[in-house]
Amino acid sequence: MKILLIGGGGREHALAWKIAQSPLLTGLYCAPGNPGTVPLGTNVPLKDTDVEGIVSFAMQENMDLVVVGPEAPLALGLADRLEKAGIACFGPSQEAAQIEASKGYLKDLCQEHDIPTAAYGRFDAAAPAKAFLSTMSAPYVIKADGLAAGKGVVIAEDLAEAESAIDDMLGGRFGAASAELVIEEFLEGEEASFFAITDGTHIVPMVGSQDHKRALDGDKGPNTGGMGAYSPAPVFTPEIQQEVIARIIAPTVKALSDRGSPYCGVLYAGLMIGADGPKLIEYNARFGDPECQVMMRRMQSDILPVLMAAATGKLAGQEFVWTPETVALVVMATQGYPGSYAKGSVIKDIEKAQARDGVEVFHAGTSQTDGQLTASGGRVLNVTAGGATGRIAVDRAYDAVAQIDWPEGFYRRDIGWRMLQRETT
Ligand code: AMP
Ligand code: GLY
């Protein structure tokens, strides 16, 4: 099978690493890929949003399957264009990808199908929104309806802050994306991520994981794309997984099919695990990053048959095999991230980290310039390690991080704290 993988982050390096192990593979192309994917295949200098360029290249090179990592090309209709060109694509159509593009659309779908989620209201005017607030209690959750680069959610501690968030958003803070709002009940509990592969009808579940969204230790500081991850997540028990599949994933897949926009690809459920069971916070139309990297490390079976089956509507009977080992991941980021940061600092000794037991380092924002590896992004390296327990995996990951010579980088020192707390009690 000839595969074209779209994207160039840590998620895509991990997907490339896993795909490259498949005996079915005859050629792997990454557009654009990163320095980590160079030894695994051929990097193609196409931007992930260059839909026409990607379709032409896939046709010219007779790709058997295109695997889409990020959401931007899906939102631009890459899957639809590939389908027209007769090329199999792992990734949802523009319409099915709407599941993450409008929070109000998703909440209505949940209500209609009795999918557990936070109680909510939808508003396009300040007065009714504020009246609804008075029926809720603090903290208040205010969300821009549309995509706002991960910044469209405000958790307000008091009424004044909540009301000003409403005025701000409806006043055009995120343009059309905040012309409508969702106000939600605040959910208590622990967040977890769960991915399921679907062809629009059948479902192949993956395993639960948790990430650390905040930049600093103690889950403090600004939100990031994710500073670390691990799987399994002890809070996400097999019983909870069954409940999530039965009450959240399966009804969503069926509802989207019934609406005439079957979802093909990976459905990423952001969940809150609370006292009264799991509730859906949101969906994404892609693998989470860095959770995907941890999944690829835990997957023992070949990934390609499942990706191909999902893309061609033949997922029935497919499944994954997982190692029971824990895999932990520490993100190394450039100082200043998620704010502004410098580019071009030199990174050395990744191979020393890589040589440690159970360790695999995935590149994200790196560049190869004049024979040197340099940092060119916010999140730069993903250091993963496996072990029989969470403690072993985390210690191995930090031991590997310590081998890497990159003074301009930083990382959190407490990745996995929830898991480790559960392990010792
Ligand atoms: P979202 O973009 O909807 O995933 O929201 C971003 C983050 O805000 C989530 O990852 C949660 O940490 C938090 N969040 C969103 N909705 C709620 C809610 N209803 N209750 C508690 N926290 C929430
Ligand atoms: N790790 C969170 C995300 O991929 O959105």
Side-chain angles (χ1 to χ4, degrees):
M1 265 186 230
K2 241 175 131 177
I3 309 292
L4 175 60
L5 172 66
I6 308 302
R11 168 180 52 207
E12 288 78 22
H13 182 187
L15 285 166
W17 174 81
K18 185 66 196 168
I19 290 170
Q21 294 168 29
S22 172
L24 301 172
L25 186 72
T26 54
L28 174 61
Y29 297 79
C30 305
N34 67 33
T37 60
V38 169
L40 302 171
T42 306
N43 280 0
V44 184
L46 283 171
K47 273 197 184 160
D48 63 11
T49 49
D50 180 1
V51 171
E52 291 314 313
I54 292 168
V55 174
S56 314
F57 180 77
M59 288 174 70
Q60 186 189 313
E61 293 289 332
N62 276 316
M63 292 297 162
D64 294 301
L65 175 68
V66 177
V67 178
V68 187
E71 72 268 36
L74 298 168
L76 292 172
L78 176 60
D80 311 75
R81 287 282 292 108
L82 287 165
E83 191 190 351
K84 277 208 190 84
I87 297 169
C89 174
F90 180 82
S93 67
Q94 199 169 26
E95 199 181 332
Q98 280 297 312
I99 192 110
E100 77 167 284
S102 163
K103 297 197 189 289
Y105 172 91
L106 173 63
K107 298 299 287 191
D108 288 353
L109 183 134
C110 288
Q111 190 170 56
E112 207 176 300
H113 298 276
D114 209 15
I115 295 170
T117 188
Y120 74 106
R122 293 178 77 170
F123 304 95
D124 58 9
K130 289 176 186 174
F132 183 72
L133 272 189
S134 64
T135 69
M136 319 275 286
S137 53
Y140 304 97
V141 183
I142 326 280
K143 300 184 174 183
D145 182 77
L147 294 173
K151 299 194 168 68
V153 176
V154 172
I155 312 240
E157 293 304 327
D158 58 48
L159 208 51
E161 194 190 333
E163 291 192 344
S164 98
I166 290 174
D167 290 332
D168 188 39
M169 288 201 199
L170 289 178
R173 174 91 167 79
F174 299 108
S178 66
E180 199 182 300
L181 305 179
V182 171
I183 299 180
E184 274 184 23
E185 162 201 12
F186 180 81
L187 297 174
E188 305 274 358
E190 256 186 64
E191 284 186 69
S193 304
F194 182 67
F195 308 129
I197 310 289
T198 173
D199 59 0
T201 309
H202 309 98
I203 294 164
V204 174
M206 297 184 83
V207 282
S209 60
Q210 282 182 300
D211 77 343
H212 293 268
K213 292 202 168 67
R214 302 295 197 95
L216 307 175
D217 286 3
D219 292 326
K220 300 218 162 54
N223 260 322
T224 71
M227 293 299 292
Y230 47 92
S231 175
V235 70
F236 200 80
T237 60
E239 294 71 34
I240 289 188
Q241 174 163 328
Q242 282 313 316
E243 194 176 339
V244 168
I245 294 168
R247 298 201 53 203
I248 299 178
I249 304 288
T252 303
V253 167
K254 181 167 186 319
L256 290 174
S257 268
D258 291 348
R259 286 182 178 195
S261 53
Y263 188 100
C264 155
V266 58
L267 204 48
Y268 162 179
L271 302 159
M272 189 69 83
I273 316 299
D276 50 351
K279 291 190 176 169
L280 180 69
I281 300 174
E282 63 159 356
Y283 279 123
N284 289 297
R286 54 174 175 81
F287 284 110
D289 183 342
E291 296 98 314
C292 175
Q293 291 84 308
V294 170
M295 294 292 116
M296 293 306 113
R297 286 291 319 270
R298 288 197 61 209
M299 190 184 291
Q300 289 182 309
S301 47
D302 190 354
I303 193 172
L304 268 190
V306 179
L307 297 181
M308 185 53 120
T312 51
K314 296 179 183 141
L315 203 55
Q318 294 283 346
E319 60 178 0
F320 291 122
V321 178
W322 304 96
T323 170
E325 276 201 346
T326 295
V327 174
L329 178 154
V330 178
V331 168
M332 297 181 79
T334 307
Q335 283 170 25
Y337 172 79
S340 59
Y341 52 83
K343 293 186 180 179
S345 53
V346 175
I347 304 165
K348 291 188 189 141
D349 295 340
I350 290 187
E351 59 293 345
K352 284 193 192 160
Q354 187 81 26
R356 297 277 157 154
D357 255 4
V359 169
E360 203 62 57
V361 181
F362 297 118
H363 292 232
T366 64
S367 293
Q368 191 76 42
T369 31
D370 304 328
Q372 281 188 317
L373 190 73
T374 58
S376 54
R379 292 190 294 170
V380 173
L381 295 174
N382 303 148
V383 179
T384 67
T389 63
R391 181 81 263 164
I392 295 170
V394 166
D395 287 349
R396 282 179 168 176
Y398 278 112
D399 175 54
V401 165
Q403 309 303 313
I404 295 174
D405 179 6
W406 181 37
E408 293 81 1
F410 81 99
Y411 54 89
R412 278 184 57 164
R413 317 236 163 201
D414 63 346
I415 296 305
W417 68 266
R418 282 194 180 83
M419 159 178 76
L420 298 177
Q421 219 167 46
R422 278 204 165 76
E423 252 178 29
T424 52
T425 53

